Amino acid sequence: DELFHRLHAELRIDDQHLRRPPDQSDGGELFLHVVTRRLDGGADDQRARVAAYFVETEILMTSAKAWEDPSTFAMQVLKGAAEGDRRPLEQVERGLRDVQEKLRALFVPSECREHHTLTVATVSSGIELLRGLRSSLAGGDMKALGTFSTAGEKVKQDSARAEELTRQIKKRYKIQ
């Protein structure tokens, strides 16, 4: 329902284009496929595809977020790891792998390919960072934790670049 309502509000297109198929209850990929197939290729349709891509991408990325405050979450992870509890790291890694798989399956409008490539690469880098961190913690190598700040900074920079691309593309297509 969130996807349905966000598309309806952002695109301001009539209900005929946003009617949910009767066999679908969660507003997922089939729904977006139905929306994008009904479009005829004009400028409004291009805008609709770009908006649909960003709505779904934002929902996917939000679904993987296991924290409200990154600093608090990092402290909880480190505290748990020091006590031998790697479940928070494993949970985030599983969530990111799920997002990575779903991102790769998305319909990506040509206008969003660069953004999509960067987003998938950033998620992949995050997964690798977590794997390395988990491995270091499992081996008791607390000194190795310092090396992850550089990798973490790269993930943060790539994420900021993806956010900037999002802003530019949304501005170009007048999407809120």
Side-chain angles (χ1 to χ4, degrees), residues 4-13 18 47 51-52 54-55 58 170 174-176:
F4 179 86
H5 293 296
R6 286 185 64 188
L7 280 172
H8 195 272
E10 286 194 29
L11 298 177
R12 295 178 189 86
I13 56 180
L18 291 176
R47 180 175 174 265
F54 278 114
V55 167
E58 289 166 12
K170 283 184 169 185
K174 297 177 176 69
I175 299 168
Q176 299 175 8

Side-chain angles (χ1 to χ4, degrees), residues 118 152-162:
L118 180 58
E153 190 58 37
K154 181 183 180 332
V155 170
K156 186 177 175 181
Q157 289 171 356
D158 288 348
S159 181
R161 281 188 22 232

